[in-house]
Amino acid sequence: MAFLVSGTLRVAAQMADARESLRRKGKYNLQGPRVALTLSSPEVSASIVAVLEGVFQTLGFQSCQRRKASVQDFHGELTRFREQLDAHGGPVGCALVALVAPSGQLQQLRPLVWELSHCGALRGCPKIFLLLSSIPGAAPKPGAFLSGLSELCGRCPHWSLLQLLTEVFCRTTEEYAGATYCPVLRSSLRGALCLGDVEPWGPEPEPSPITQYDLSGTKAALLLAVIRGRSGAQHDVKALGGLCQALGFKTTLRTNPTAQAFQEELAQFREQLDTHRGPVSCALVALMAHGGPQGQLLGADGQEVQPEALVQELSRCRALRGCPKIFLLQACRGGHRDAGMGPTALPWFWRWLQAPPATPSHADILQVYVNAQGSSSRDLTPGSSNQADILTVYAAAEGCVAYRDEKGSDFIQTLVEVLRTAPQGDLLELLTEVNRQVCELDVLGPDCDERRKACLEIHSSLRHRLCLQA
């Protein structure tokens, strides 16, 4: 019994420390060892794997495992890796998994990510996935992404990983058929993640101004909101419209659009920007509606429109070439209600210890999609655009419910509050803070008596810092 109480106290203290560090400083405090795993198919060059291990060592990962397996066996290898971590007997600070396979073979990624997200030793800790596609017959040497990441990790250890990746994306951008392509990241991190050998609470130096997007031109926003049948949606529209005005966006609002009107409004918005007199520097599009079971948006007429089609529409805008395009999606992406991961035994005891609330199952995950050899990065991310300078923020993880009540949605209301507090901040870092606050909320859905969790999902192919107000 004494052993049980001692173990419970130790785990509770660790979880409370992690919660408190994120709340106080907005950074992960990486306690415990950093572990890395490379899974590569037999066709992958040994030189690529060697460079990966060098990157891991530069980032301070003490344990670096390497396993060759067919893509079909990746899931089994990850299961063994998770079991190994859970049997470790102590906290793990961070895990990094590199999956390397020929282009087109890394398609069923969700079960792989899901496997590690259920690791008890990594609860509340960052889990990083590098999803690297290799080109059959291409040069075996690593490309610009791995080389640039390795160089920057050693030279700028004080930068957060999102800052490092944004800089590497800038260096590895490619032009093809009049479009600009670059790697893509998907993040549900709840805090800044600094992997360099630096004091986790030390101040970060200001980045060079040349790394920021130039927003001196016109900033335009389009808000498309289905209000009918969505309690509290009018408060989201009012709050977001006020924020856009405060940030200097020329804003257009359309309420209760049909599915066809969603597409038509985006096309008209693009045409207006292309014919605008003077430079355009940024566009923001907010899509607020009910969502379908596969992540579709439902218009006021109940018909479906794919959000990816709306993103592609604006990515063709000539006036926005090389400029940031922001999409905010407040809609369900499925019907799953996440109970989260956290202590379930002795609830009175956990409350007495002020243990942290459950962590959303999809939180603390960073996925990076890139070509290992640095040739064209087109079609590397299943189901989404790889074009550069696009930032898409989903109010819910894939397959999950996005919560809203008569006061508005957790996502939009928290976003507005955070951006009003620090409008000069880097948007990726601010969105990470928004996610932290949303993840801490306990939600009671309209048809559920049990508390549930929500988590944002951020997709970015930005190549520079994005600060919406100078």
Side-chain angles (χ1 to χ4, degrees):
M1 182 65 181
F3 174 77
L4 174 62
V5 173
S6 174
T8 303
L9 283 169
R10 176 173 56 83
V11 175
Q14 291 169 355
M15 295 180 68
D17 286 345
R19 185 272 308 266
E20 186 64 19
S21 68
L22 274 173
R23 185 166 61 187
R24 284 187 297 107
K25 300 293 185 179
K27 293 183 180 180
Y28 287 100
N29 189 8
L30 302 183
Q31 298 178 338
R34 304 178 190 181
V35 294
L37 170 68
T38 298
L39 294 179
S40 59
S41 64
E43 303 91 337
V44 173
S45 166
S47 61
I48 293 176
V49 177
V51 170
L52 271 171
E53 291 183 343
V55 171
F56 297 163
Q57 292 172 2
T58 302
L59 291 173
F61 284 81
Q62 297 94 339
S63 173
C64 302
Q65 301 181 32
R66 176 200 301 187
R67 302 175 191 173
K68 272 192 176 294
S70 65
V71 174
Q72 292 76 13
D73 293 333
F74 278 8
H75 191 275
E77 294 290 346
L78 266 176
T79 300
R80 285 187 281 275
F81 183 61
R82 175 184 57 78
E83 293 171 347
Q84 178 184 353
L85 295 180
D86 280 334
H88 173 68
V92 177
C94 179
L96 194 161
V97 175
L99 306 177
V100 196
S103 181
Q105 292 192 19
L106 292 175
Q107 296 294 327
Q108 301 300 321
L109 296 170
R110 189 177 180 185
L112 302 179
V113 175
W114 192 247
E115 180 67 36
L116 201 58
S117 68
H118 278 73
C119 177
L122 286 168
R123 181 179 300 151
C125 301
K127 296 161 278 286
I128 308 165
F129 289 83
L130 290 180
L131 305 158
L132 301 160
S133 293
S134 62
I135 304 298
K141 64 180 181 179
F145 177 84
L146 288 179
S147 301
L149 183 61
S150 178
E151 185 264 329
L152 277 174
C153 288
R155 185 165 58 86
C156 305
H158 52 275
W159 284 14
S160 75
L161 188 55
L162 292 184
Q163 286 179 310
L164 285 170
L165 290 171
T166 300
E167 177 65 24
V168 177
F169 286 6
C170 181
R171 298 184 180 191
T172 55
T173 299
E174 294 185 348
E175 301 289 332
Y176 179 82
T180 305
Y181 293 88
C182 82
V184 176
L185 66 83
R186 294 182 180 182
S187 172
S188 62
L189 296 179
R190 296 178 296 138
L193 176 57
C194 300
L195 293 176
D197 186 18
V198 295
E199 164 60 40
W201 309 140
E204 296 176 12
E206 287 295 322
S208 170
I210 63 171
T211 66
Q212 291 189 191
Y213 284 103
D214 178 8
L215 300 190
S216 59
T218 297
K219 295 185 289 186
L222 174 65
L223 312 184
L224 300 178
V226 175
I227 298 177
R228 189 183 308 137
R230 297 180 67 243
S231 174
Q234 69 276 14
H235 297 298
D236 284 349
V237 170
K238 181 179 179 180
L240 194 55
L243 175 67
C244 289
Q245 183 178 6
L247 293 174
F249 281 82
K250 181 180 179 181
T251 306
T252 301
L253 170 65
R254 298 287 184 266
T255 58
N256 296 318
T258 63
Q260 183 177 350
F262 268 105
Q263 191 76 47
E264 292 174 348
E265 290 290 347
L266 255 296
Q268 183 177 349
F269 184 61
R270 174 181 58 80
E271 292 171 358
Q272 289 174 346
L273 294 180
D274 278 336
T275 57
H276 179 74
R277 293 184 179 179
V280 180
S281 59
C282 180
L284 184 151
V285 175
L287 308 171
M288 296 172 276
H290 285 300
Q294 303 300 321
Q296 313 94 322
L297 294 175
L298 303 182
D301 56 352
Q303 298 300 306
E304 300 176 354
V305 60
Q306 295 294 337
E308 292 80 13
L310 304 179
V311 174
Q312 289 284 1
E313 178 68 43
L314 196 60
S315 68
R316 293 195 293 267
C317 180
R318 296 186 304 275
L320 288 171
R321 182 79 179 274
C323 301
K325 296 162 278 287
I326 307 165
F327 290 84
L328 308 176
L329 281 84
Q330 171 54 44
C332 293
R333 303 178 69 195
H336 176 64
R337 298 182 182 276
D338 185 10
M341 300 174 63
T344 56
L346 302 175
W348 62 269
F349 192 66
W350 291 103
R351 288 197 297 270
W352 176 64
L353 287 171
Q354 295 185 336
T359 301
S361 303
H362 301 82
D364 308 305
I365 296 171
L366 176 65
Q367 304 173 57
V368 185
Y369 298 79
V370 70
N371 189 285
Q373 284 130 335
S375 52
S376 173
S377 55
R378 301 181 305 279
D379 302 325
L380 290 183
T381 310
S384 66
S385 170
N386 284 73
Q387 293 198 29
D389 309 306
I390 296 176
L391 175 64
T392 306
V393 189
Y394 295 90
E398 185 178 356
C400 293
V401 171
Y403 292 98
R404 169 184 39 80
D405 59 23
E406 65 277 1
K407 297 180 181 179
S409 65
D410 295 333
F411 167 43
I412 296 297
Q413 296 298 321
T414 306
L415 172 75
V416 170
E417 180 181 347
V418 170
L419 263 64
R420 281 191 176 276
T421 301
Q424 300 90 359
D426 175 73
L427 187 56
L428 268 181
E429 303 290 351
L430 293 176
L431 288 170
T432 301
E433 171 62 18
V434 173
N435 189 41
R436 183 190 67 80
Q437 295 187 24
V438 169
C439 286
E440 288 188 352
L441 299 174
D442 286 321
V443 183
L444 284 175
D447 55 354
C448 180
D449 294 331
E450 299 292 332
R451 295 188 182 275
R452 294 293 183 253
K453 307 298 291 187
C455 178
L456 306 187
E457 186 172 294
I458 303 164
H459 296 193
S460 174
S461 61
L462 297 180
R463 297 177 292 158
H464 309 285
R465 278 173 55 91
L466 177 55
C467 303
L468 294 180
Q469 191 172 88

